[in-house]
Amino acid sequence: MSKKLFVLLSVLLVTVLVLAACGGSKATPEPEKAAPPAAEEVAPTEVPAEEAAAEEAPAAEEEAPAEEAVPSEGVVTLNFVGSGPGAEAEFTKQQIEQWNSENPDIQVTFIDGPTSATDRYGLYLQTFQAQSSDIDAMQIDVIWPGDLAEHLVDLNEYGAADLTKDMFPAIVTNNTVDGKLVGLPWFTDGGLLYYRTDLLEKYGYDGPPATWDELEEMANTIQEGERGEGNQDFWGFVWQGKAYEGLTCDALEWIYSSGGGTIISPDKVITIDNPEAAAALDRAAGWVGTISPPGVTGFQEEESRAVWQGGNAAFMRNWPYAYSLGQADDSAIKGLFDVTSLPGGEAGKSAATLGGWQLAVSKYSEHPEAAAKFAMWIGAPEQQKARALNLSLLPTVPALYEDADIAEIVPFMPNLLNVFTNAVARPSTASAPQYNETSTIFFSNVSDVLTGKMSGEDAVATIALDLEDLLGFESGAP
Ligand code: GLC
């Protein structure tokens, strides 16, 4: 392993530990450990160029004359930070292996970053603040272009417009900050309702629930029935209830679908303090320990999927990635589920939070051109299609929704295209460059409602006041 990579991995590990100690990455709280080193003590250290180069020489090393300690002329090595839940990291690694074998002059190392978006943001910010060249390219969340733009290169300078012209214009716009394309759309995401087709039929339901009331009723009935038959581990509904970015996504769906708005409107009015939003949070708090496990307040995507894929839940809120995994041979529910849009409020208004990931290149990279070239390869339609088929990640290229292989293997993609294209955005554009803090205020208070520390009414009032302080915007009706 090269020294540079070793340093980066150490930073990564310590960052994960620091974040975990702050309540970051474990589903169940662990006993307090000795205080981890302060973040600044572990800021990436620069490795002298020759030293790094000597240890990084890939395949070319063997051909180089014995006394030559640098890679053969023109070989560039890059670090790419990826990751994601389920099988995503593993597949990305395979794609990178393909790139490396086809591009001996640009060798990419995959770094598996924290899966939690909240923790990953912390890692990137720390690396950027040190202006470190350790990360060349990375995966960024759909909510980060505004917050991170100052640290990223304009991919249009490297020819990305050739690719973005065939992508969903709204996603391209989201990645364009002050005229610069800071992220190349890689896959899009939308919250979905997973439901057990066999159990709906068993309990006499014609189809999935259209409203939250219906979901509660069905979840209750199925849970009681399955437990009555001996499965004490069975739950009605699993979702993401931990205090992290995923909770912002779930709570936005409950609130928006109940007529409570989008926290902050696109024209910068703080709209969260309203009775519909408060009631939506109280409703979700009522699920904890009734139709959802008490531990759901510590669940991220993977913890929900574990319960669901083990056959122990009637319904799950999750992103599309869980589809392929659920249909895999080792899944207890293979062939026994389907996906649809999430339930709505009384008015039947349904909402999917818009998610998704982009490819970005750090301004502090020593090889931005090579990094952009790699990003444009792994972000191109061919690799997006491979990710759609193998990982059920949604392409950002509309034409792929008409692709015959996609229609056959992941039929929900074309079937639910209107759900994905109408997904509700988190208020990241309105609050940039302070979206991350905005979301932290939001999910922390929502978490307090779920754990019974606060009422929905108090939470929405507190969120509004804190956001007024943070952003200087006024409050108003949604
Ligand atoms: C998914 C979404 C991303 C979101 C995250 C929250 O990865 O694509 O946008 O922030 O989940 O956990």
Side-chain angles (χ1 to χ4, degrees):
M1 189 189 300
S2 80
K3 196 173 268 175
K4 187 174 168 191
L5 181 56
F6 175 75
V7 170
L8 180 56
L9 287 175
S10 318
V11 172
L12 197 65
L13 182 68
V14 177
T15 307
V16 171
L17 290 176
V18 171
L19 293 165
C22 306
S25 29
K26 290 264 158 45
T28 26
E30 284 201 334
E32 286 289 76
K33 303 224 175 73
E40 54 275 20
E41 284 170 41
V42 295
T45 359
E46 280 306 321
V47 179
E50 313 88 294
E51 229 180 296
E55 298 194 39
E56 268 170 11
E61 204 174 42
E62 279 149 33
E63 291 139 38
E67 68 275 14
E68 198 183 282
V70 289
S72 67
E73 211 184 312
V75 176
V76 161
T77 57
L78 302 175
N79 284 331
F80 172 73
V81 181
S83 190
E88 192 184 330
E90 207 39 55
F91 192 77
T92 304
K93 236 184 275 173
Q94 287 171 28
Q95 290 181 303
I96 291 176
E97 274 161 25
Q98 184 189 340
W99 162 274
N100 284 344
S101 68
E102 290 169 10
N103 296 273
D105 55 335
I106 303 175
Q107 293 292 295
V108 178
T109 302
F110 175 77
I111 317 264
D112 201 356
T115 311
S116 154
T118 303
D119 295 354
R120 188 103 61 96
Y121 184 84
L123 168 73
Y124 290 167
L125 207 59
Q126 186 186 342
T127 315
F128 287 146
Q129 278 165 353
Q131 306 207 346
S132 163
S133 60
D134 284 353
I135 299 180
D136 298 285
M138 78 221 79
Q139 220 175 308
I140 64 164
D141 201 327
V142 69
I143 49 189
W144 297 340
D147 280 22
L148 296 181
E150 60 174 305
H151 306 290
L152 303 171
V153 306
D154 178 3
L155 292 165
N156 278 338
E157 285 180 11
Y158 302 95
D162 280 350
L163 290 171
T164 54
K165 69 176 179 2
D166 299 324
M167 293 183 175
F168 288 115
I171 307 179
V172 177
T173 303
N174 181 71
N175 280 287
T176 309
V177 181
D178 296 333
K180 296 192 315 185
L181 184 76
V182 299
L184 177 66
W186 198 14
F187 63 92
T188 183
D189 239 349
L192 292 175
L193 182 72
Y194 286 74
Y195 64 97
R196 286 281 298 274
T197 45
D198 57 331
L199 295 178
L200 257 56
E201 198 184 320
K202 177 172 168 186
Y203 290 88
Y205 297 112
D206 293 341
T211 65
W212 293 113
D213 280 347
E214 282 174 25
L215 176 130
E216 286 173 1
E217 193 277 316
M218 292 185 188
N220 248 317
T221 304
I222 301 173
Q223 182 176 306
E224 255 174 48
E226 293 301 292
R227 289 192 181 186
E229 287 181 17
N231 184 357
Q232 289 309 317
D233 297 329
F234 196 90
W235 292 97
F237 183 36
V238 289
W239 38 280
Q240 293 76 50
K242 179 176 169 170
Y244 80 120
E245 186 59 34
L247 178 55
T248 295
C249 299
D250 286 43
L252 177 63
E253 286 158 355
W254 312 328
I255 291 174
Y256 185 85
S257 68
S258 308
T262 56
I263 311 166
I264 302 172
S265 70
D267 52 354
K268 304 193 178 194
V269 177
I270 296 163
T271 58
I272 185 64
D273 189 2
N274 67 76
E276 288 75 21
L281 297 183
D282 288 332
R283 179 200 279 276
W287 298 335
V288 179
T290 58
I291 55 170
S292 304
V296 77
T297 54
F299 279 15
Q300 301 185 62
E301 286 82 357
E302 284 292 83
E303 287 82 13
S304 328
R305 184 174 71 85
V307 177
W308 160 259
Q309 204 171 306
N312 291 321
F315 298 103
M316 170 175 73
R317 184 276 178 206
N318 216 325
W319 307 99
Y321 86 93
Y323 185 91
S324 287
L325 297 160
Q327 297 292 20
D329 286 338
D330 63 358
S331 162
I333 51 165
K334 181 181 171 154
L336 300 178
F337 74 93
D338 208 345
V339 287
T340 188
S341 49
L342 285 159
E346 293 324 309
K349 190 173 173 184
S350 163
T353 293
L354 175 70
W357 291 80
Q358 346 294 315
L359 295 151
V361 171
S362 166
K363 220 168 84 176
Y364 314 110
S365 165
E366 282 159 15
H367 309 288
E369 187 166 357
K373 201 169 162 196
F374 164 70
M376 291 186 291
W377 175 83
I378 204 163
E382 192 185 339
Q383 298 305 329
Q384 286 204 15
K385 177 172 169 180
R387 295 170 72 82
L389 297 178
N390 289 281
L391 299 170
S392 56
L393 294 179
L394 303 172
T396 60
V397 180
L400 285 175
Y401 291 78
E402 283 154 33
D403 181 275
D405 299 327
I406 287 186
E408 190 191 328
I409 295 169
V410 276
F412 77 91
M413 290 189 187
N415 292 345
L416 296 179
L417 182 57
N418 70 322
V419 173
F420 304 127
T421 48
N422 290 310
V424 180
R426 284 162 276 174
S428 54
T429 303
S431 62
Q434 308 206 80
Y435 172 73
N436 191 59
E437 280 153 85
T438 297
S439 180
T440 304
I441 289 172
F442 178 70
F443 70 61
S444 308
N445 284 286
V446 171
S447 168
D448 282 350
V449 179
L450 298 179
T451 53
K453 293 192 194 118
M454 220 194 249
S455 67
E457 192 182 350
D458 288 347
V460 295
T462 308
I463 296 167
L465 287 175
D466 287 357
L467 292 183
E468 286 165 24
D469 278 353
L470 175 72
L471 303 167
F473 303 163
E474 306 275 302
S475 276

